[in-house]
Amino acid sequence: RKEVEQDPGPFNVPEGATVAFNCTYSNSASQSFFWYRQDCRKEPKLLMSVYSSGNEDGRFTAQLNRASQYISLLIRDSKLSDSATYLCVVDQGGGYNKLIFGAGTRLAVHP
Amino acid sequence: DTAVSQTPKYLVTQMGNDKSIKCEQNLGHDTMYWYKQDSKKFLKIMFSYNNKELIINETVPNRFSPKSPDKAHLNLHINSLELGDSAVYFCASSQDEGMNTEAFFGQGTRLTVV
């Protein structure tokens, strides 16, 4: 089983749609969870951290379910500029900031 | 003001050559990393340094040797390049090696070995 698994997509959605990405992780010792965004041929950038209580940043909502080892990202009112690859990122645990990246889910928002 | 900068951005070289990629961060971070992103887009950590000390050394060939002259720099030297080394290499830094710290990435170096 991969350490971090994501549906690679692509998700093709019209502007204004709501889209959800899911991610599962294998290491129950993981403590830190993130969503990163990577545009084509660019570096990854932090989109948001994911907290146990769930958190929201504008149109973006992240949820964490530790029991199921499952993380989600919800994007409401999709914009063309949201088109990118979304990377689920989990720390390996053990006290070091060793980040394990999922392969990413590609989102394409069309007019 | 580029926070994490790496050079060169593109590198095309022949098999068997030795090459270096340089990385500098001006964020005052203590921890720096090298990641490799292969053709399948997986980002995998290679090395991590905290205050010039090697913290993480993943299973990479010993042809890859990181060097950290100071905590703001982490260079990657690769000996005897092979076709399979072709990938995008990202340098990154974070405030410390603890939990929940954001990693800032450089723009990447696209290495092509021919």
Side-chain angles (χ1 to χ4, degrees):
Chain A
R1 182 183 174 185
K2 290 179 186 166
E3 290 177 285
V4 179
E5 290 206 66
Q6 297 181 247
D7 180 345
F11 284 60
N12 293 301
V13 303
E15 276 186 287
T18 295
V19 61
F21 305 139
N22 302 319
C23 167
T24 57
Y25 61 96
S26 62
N27 189 350
S28 58
S30 296
Q31 296 293 322
S32 302
F33 310 91
F34 311 89
W35 283 101
Y36 274 70
R37 170 189 168 136
Q38 186 172 24
D39 292 296
C40 187
R41 301 178 83 86
K42 298 282 190 181
E43 71 275 22
K45 291 183 179 178
L46 179 68
L47 177 67
M48 58 197 304
S49 299
V50 186
Y51 303 117
S52 296
S53 54
N55 47 301
E56 188 173 308
D57 183 1
R59 298 180 294 108
F60 299 85
T61 301
Q63 297 277 356
L64 167 65
N65 184 323
R66 284 186 187 270
S68 303
Q69 294 180 201
Y70 171 95
I71 305 162
S72 65
L73 177 68
L74 183 77
I75 305 176
R76 289 181 298 278
D77 188 23
S78 298
K79 311 289 184 194
L80 294 176
S81 57
D82 293 335
S83 298
T85 297
Y86 291 83
L87 304 168
C88 178
V89 184
V90 173
D91 82 285
Q92 194 194 36
Y96 292 110
N97 195 21
K98 178 182 170 183
L99 299 178
I100 310 296
F101 284 76
T105 299
R106 197 153 60 90
L107 172 66
V109 182
H110 56 82
Chain B
D1 279 350
T2 305
V4 181
S5 59
Q6 50 184 113
T7 55
K9 192 172 180 182
Y10 299 97
L11 183 53
V12 181
T13 188
Q14 289 186 324
M15 281 175 57
N17 283 351
D18 302 338
K19 290 293 178 186
S20 291
I21 307 171
K22 295 187 174 181
C23 179
E24 176 182 4
Q25 53 96 3
N26 62 7
L27 297 167
H29 288 168
D30 292 327
T31 306
M32 295 186 71
Y33 313 82
W34 277 108
Y35 283 83
K36 177 181 179 180
Q37 189 168 40
D38 59 24
S39 57
K40 294 182 180 175
K41 305 300 181 188
F42 273 102
L43 256 173
K44 289 186 179 175
I45 192 167
M46 301 173 69
F47 302 102
S48 167
Y49 270 72
N50 180 267
N51 264 319
K52 303 195 301 175
E53 182 183 343
L54 181 64
I55 300 297
I56 294 172
N57 184 352
E58 289 299 286
T59 308
V60 300
N62 57 15
R63 298 182 294 104
F64 290 78
S65 53
K67 290 212 169 34
S68 182
D70 55 61
K71 77 171 195 176
H73 295 84
L74 181 61
N75 304 323
L76 183 64
H77 189 76
I78 315 171
N79 288 330
S80 304
L81 278 155
E82 299 178 358
L83 293 177
D85 296 333
S86 296
V88 181
Y89 292 84
F90 286 101
C91 176
S93 74
S94 65
Q95 179 60 40
D96 58 36
E97 60 186 294
M99 292 303 159
N100 239 5
T101 53
E102 177 183 356
F104 292 81
F105 286 80
Q107 291 183 306
T109 296
R110 188 170 295 273
L111 171 65
T112 303
V113 183
V114 297

